[in-house]
Amino acid sequence: MNNKDINIIKKTPLFSGMEEDEIEHMLGCLSAVGRNYRKNETILYPGDPINSIGMVISGRVLILKEDFWGNRNIINEALHGDVFAEGYACTQGVELGISAVAAEDSRVMFMEVRRVITTCSTACAYHVRLVRNLLSVLARKNLLMDEKLTHLTQRTTREKLLSYLSSESKRQVSASFEIPYNRQQLADYLSVDRSAMSSELSRMRDEGIISFEKNRFRLLI
Amino acid sequence: MNNKDINIIKKTPLFSGMEEDEIEHMLGCLSAVGRNYRKNETILYPGDPINSIGMVISGRVLILKEDFWGNRNIINEALHGDVFAEGYACTQGVELGISAVAAEDSRVMFMEVRRVITTCSTACAYHVRLVRNLLSVLARKNLLMDEKLTHLTQRTTREKLLSYLSSESKRQVSASFEIPYNRQQLADYLSVDRSAMSSELSRMRDEGIISFEKNRFRLLI
DNA sequence: ACAAATCTGTTGTAATTGCAACAAAGGAGG
DNA sequence: CCTCCTTTGTTGCAATTACAACAGATTTGT
């Protein structure tokens, strides 16, 4: 890992609260290695025994799941600073259920977190901080997935939209709020058809349930 | 917390690998308190500032999410040994987004985990073990949610079924396998209508894609 | 300013779903 | 053996969705 890498790494949630020299030390404890991948190159294969967390340094990595018949589904997209495969790396006795593929030329760092988790942390005071950060990263991811699940368990497009919009409204503590997605991205997030979603939005507008312009929405009670 | 509680607690994933006296010590560090709830009594209210993880000692606790209009949705069910609200308790600066209600008369233990996470762990050697266990619990939950998400992002009932069945088949490393749900529970898990799912299963059987009898399924490539 | 590309909304149709109602099969308990 | 209750499968219908195709609006690059 070079200096440029470390400049990026130190801004990530996993290493927050650490100084550069602490980070360099930690990377040693973690046997951190960096690797570059070409676009479309596979980074992790399903079935691999996995001991390392991945962190995207630059580029874009897609997390895919393959079913019995070989159909691939994108289940996540990791950008710079994001970790992936952390659920597997932190769980004993499971093999990787996903694959990771570079969506663009990308640089990825791998860290053997289990070393820090399972060996005595007192050997290195920074370990404690790292484990806490890891806990925080996992917990946040949990909350995000929980929220997505509540939307996806709604049956109709309208219900999914209302579930999402009302939670955004609550989060931003206002009936009027901007969302961070365009229509296609919102449809992907809610796992519905974009055009069907678009007409559903219009219908809800006509019925006086919501109003919107571009990415700004308003809930009308 | 009484001795009967501790007998239950020591078998849970969060306290695995700890002896009874270690657990008693830890419960002190965590300011653990037990509380009993009547059926339908609310345990946690949305908006509460949350510092404690809940663990079900006995009974059954439903985790609910309420939307803008006050509609409640069950997003989880916690049985004895299960923890809840751990995502919130481990994340700084968020208020509770869910509510917890006793589905039966229940006993719940609350633990202030942030004490163990944020204060210097060297003060108590067992803290390290607890944080690791917590990490493991969160990671497993992550994997479970990830899997459910991959099923729910499928558009049609057939795709959801195939996604679920193929992942069970992979997990049990056999084209023939038993599932832990009856039809209604499976429909709830996949968030589809039971009768529609039932006819879809029959259709898939008629098309030679799968065979099944009761809870035993077989994928016929 | 212009052209090209992207984003958004609309519409029609075929396919799929949710829902309600009902029948058949099995289990539990008297 | 009989009754009650639960589980599962089936069917018809109304509602909803996915999909494709297209047009207008907006953005981007030159």
Side-chain angles (χ1 to χ4, degrees), chain A residues 210-221:
Chain A
I210 61 171
S211 65
F212 58 90
E213 197 195 332
K214 296 190 178 177
N215 289 2
R216 175 162 289 279
F217 287 77
R218 177 182 289 276
L219 295 183
L220 309 168
I221 301 185

Side-chain angles (χ1 to χ4, degrees), chain A residues 65-69 73 75 87-88 90-92 94 117-122 128 131-132 134-136 138-143 145-150 152-155 162 166 169-170 191-193 209 219 221, chain B residues 65-69 73 75 87-88 90-92 94 117-122 128 131-132 134-136 138-143 145-150 152-155 162 166 169-170 191-193 209 219 221:
Chain A
K65 202 157 203 169
E66 206 166 301
D67 67 19
F68 188 80
W69 295 267
N73 295 297
I75 60 172
Y88 293 97
C90 295
T91 307
Q92 288 196 336
V94 293
I117 302 171
T118 57
T119 65
C120 179
S121 295
T122 52
V128 178
V131 172
R132 282 180 207 153
L134 189 53
L135 202 58
S136 167
L138 274 171
R140 274 181 204 281
K141 214 161 206 173
N142 252 313
L143 294 185
M145 290 209 276
D146 227 66
E147 185 163 330
K148 185 166 179 175
L149 274 176
T150 59
L152 287 189
T153 48
Q154 305 298 316
R155 301 296 175 84
L162 288 177
S166 78
S169 164
K170 275 196 175 179
S191 199
V192 295
D193 178 70
I209 301 172
L219 295 183
I221 301 185
Chain B
K65 202 155 202 169
E66 205 165 303
D67 68 17
F68 188 79
W69 294 269
N73 295 297
I75 59 171
Y88 294 97
C90 295
T91 307
Q92 289 197 334
V94 293
I117 302 171
T118 56
T119 65
C120 179
S121 297
T122 52
V128 177
V131 172
R132 283 181 206 152
L134 190 53
L135 202 57
S136 168
L138 275 171
R140 276 182 201 281
K141 213 160 205 172
N142 249 311
L143 294 185
M145 290 209 279
D146 227 64
E147 185 163 332
K148 186 165 181 176
L149 274 175
T150 59
L152 288 189
T153 49
Q154 305 299 314
R155 303 293 175 86
L162 289 176
S166 78
S169 165
K170 275 196 176 180
S191 199
V192 295
D193 179 70
I209 301 173
L219 295 183
I221 301 186

Side-chain angles (χ1 to χ4, degrees), chain A:
Chain A
M1 309 304 304
N2 57 41
N3 278 337
K4 198 176 147 209
D5 290 342
I6 292 180
N7 260 317
I8 296 171
I9 292 167
K10 71 177 177 190
K11 295 173 194 153
T12 64
L14 192 55
F15 291 96
S16 85
M18 295 189 196
E19 297 303 323
E20 279 193 33
D21 54 336
E22 294 173 357
I23 291 176
E24 290 198 46
H25 184 187
M26 277 305 311
L27 294 181
C29 299
L30 291 162
S31 306
V33 292
R35 271 206 62 192
N36 298 316
Y37 296 88
R38 291 304 180 92
K39 180 174 177 174
N40 294 327
E41 196 176 347
T42 298
I43 299 169
L44 295 173
Y45 291 90
D48 285 355
I50 178 99
N51 294 298
S52 298
I53 278 189
M55 177 186 275
V56 180
I57 306 296
S58 65
R60 192 161 59 99
V61 172
L62 297 181
I63 311 302
L64 308 169
K65 202 157 203 169
E66 206 166 301
D67 67 19
F68 188 80
W69 295 267
N71 307 311
R72 287 178 147 197
N73 295 297
I74 299 173
I75 60 172
N76 202 6
E77 183 187 65
L79 302 175
H80 84 279
D82 291 337
V83 296
F84 58 92
E86 76 288 347
Y88 293 97
C90 295
T91 307
Q92 288 196 336
V94 293
E95 57 179 31
L96 198 62
I98 51 119
S99 55
V101 175
E104 316 164 356
D105 290 357
S106 302
R107 181 166 174 77
V108 172
M109 174 171 71
F110 291 102
M111 297 166 279
E112 297 186 17
V113 279
R114 216 171 287 171
R115 291 186 163 211
V116 178
I117 302 171
T118 57
T119 65
C120 179
S121 295
T122 52
C124 173
Y126 311 137
H127 288 194
V128 178
R129 160 63 84 170
L130 186 86
V131 172
R132 282 180 207 153
N133 284 350
L134 189 53
L135 202 58
S136 167
V137 168
L138 274 171
R140 274 181 204 281
K141 214 161 206 173
N142 252 313
L143 294 185
L144 290 179
M145 290 209 276
D146 227 66
E147 185 163 330
K148 185 166 179 175
L149 274 176
T150 59
H151 306 325
L152 287 189
T153 48
Q154 305 298 316
R155 301 296 175 84
T156 66
T157 299
R158 172 176 294 212
E159 284 171 337
K160 285 176 180 146
L161 279 167
L162 288 177
S163 176
Y164 172 72
L165 293 175
S166 78
S167 87
E168 270 305 303
S169 164
K170 275 196 175 179
R171 208 171 57 73
Q172 301 189 30
V173 203
S174 164
S176 169
F177 52 91
E178 284 191 3
I179 68 171
Y181 300 128
N182 65 29
R183 296 295 186 274
Q184 182 61 61
Q185 291 170 326
L186 179 57
D188 288 343
Y189 176 73
L190 296 179
S191 199
V192 295
D193 178 70
R194 181 200 59 78
S195 68
M197 183 189 83
S198 208
S199 34
E200 189 61 44
L201 280 173
S202 303
R203 212 169 303 134
M204 287 159 71
R205 195 221 298 110
D206 296 345
E207 291 178 26
I209 301 172
I210 61 171
S211 65
F212 58 90
E213 197 195 332
K214 296 190 178 177
N215 289 2
R216 175 162 289 279
F217 287 77
R218 177 182 289 276
L219 295 183
L220 309 168
I221 301 185

Side-chain angles (χ1 to χ4, degrees), chain B residues 3-220:
Chain B
N3 278 335
K4 198 178 148 209
D5 290 342
I6 291 180
N7 260 315
I8 295 171
I9 292 168
K10 72 178 177 189
K11 295 173 193 154
T12 64
L14 192 56
F15 291 95
S16 85
M18 294 189 197
E19 297 303 323
E20 278 193 31
D21 54 336
E22 293 174 357
I23 291 176
E24 290 197 45
H25 184 186
M26 275 308 309
L27 294 182
C29 299
L30 290 163
S31 305
V33 292
R35 270 207 62 193
N36 298 316
Y37 296 89
R38 291 304 180 92
K39 181 173 175 173
N40 295 326
E41 196 177 346
T42 298
I43 300 169
L44 294 174
Y45 291 89
D48 284 355
I50 179 96
N51 294 298
S52 298
I53 278 188
M55 177 186 275
V56 180
I57 304 298
S58 65
R60 191 161 58 98
V61 172
L62 296 181
I63 311 302
L64 308 169
K65 202 155 202 169
E66 205 165 303
D67 68 17
F68 188 79
W69 294 269
N71 308 310
R72 285 178 148 197
N73 295 297
I74 298 173
I75 59 171
N76 203 7
E77 183 187 64
L79 302 174
H80 82 278
D82 291 337
V83 295
F84 59 91
E86 75 288 349
Y88 294 97
C90 295
T91 307
Q92 289 197 334
V94 293
E95 57 178 33
L96 199 60
I98 49 118
S99 54
V101 175
E104 316 165 358
D105 290 357
S106 303
R107 180 164 173 78
V108 172
M109 174 171 70
F110 292 101
M111 298 165 280
E112 296 185 17
V113 280
R114 216 171 288 172
R115 288 185 165 213
V116 179
I117 302 171
T118 56
T119 65
C120 179
S121 297
T122 52
C124 172
Y126 311 136
H127 287 194
V128 177
R129 160 63 85 170
L130 186 87
V131 172
R132 283 181 206 152
N133 284 349
L134 190 53
L135 202 57
S136 168
V137 167
L138 275 171
R140 276 182 201 281
K141 213 160 205 172
N142 249 311
L143 294 185
L144 290 179
M145 290 209 279
D146 227 64
E147 185 163 332
K148 186 165 181 176
L149 274 175
T150 59
H151 307 325
L152 288 189
T153 49
Q154 305 299 314
R155 303 293 175 86
T156 65
T157 299
R158 172 176 294 213
E159 285 171 336
K160 283 175 182 150
L161 279 167
L162 289 176
S163 175
Y164 172 73
L165 293 174
S166 78
S167 88
E168 269 307 302
S169 165
K170 275 196 176 180
R171 207 171 58 75
Q172 302 190 31
V173 202
S174 165
S176 170
F177 51 91
E178 285 191 4
I179 67 170
Y181 300 127
N182 65 28
R183 296 293 187 273
Q184 183 61 62
Q185 291 169 327
L186 180 57
D188 288 344
Y189 176 72
L190 296 178
S191 199
V192 295
D193 179 70
R194 183 199 60 77
S195 68
M197 183 189 82
S198 208
S199 36
E200 189 61 44
L201 280 172
S202 304
R203 213 169 300 134
M204 287 159 71
R205 194 221 299 110
D206 297 344
E207 291 178 26
I209 301 173
I210 61 173
S211 66
F212 57 90
E213 197 195 331
K214 296 190 178 179
N215 290 2
R216 174 160 291 278
F217 287 78
R218 178 181 289 276
L219 295 183
L220 309 167

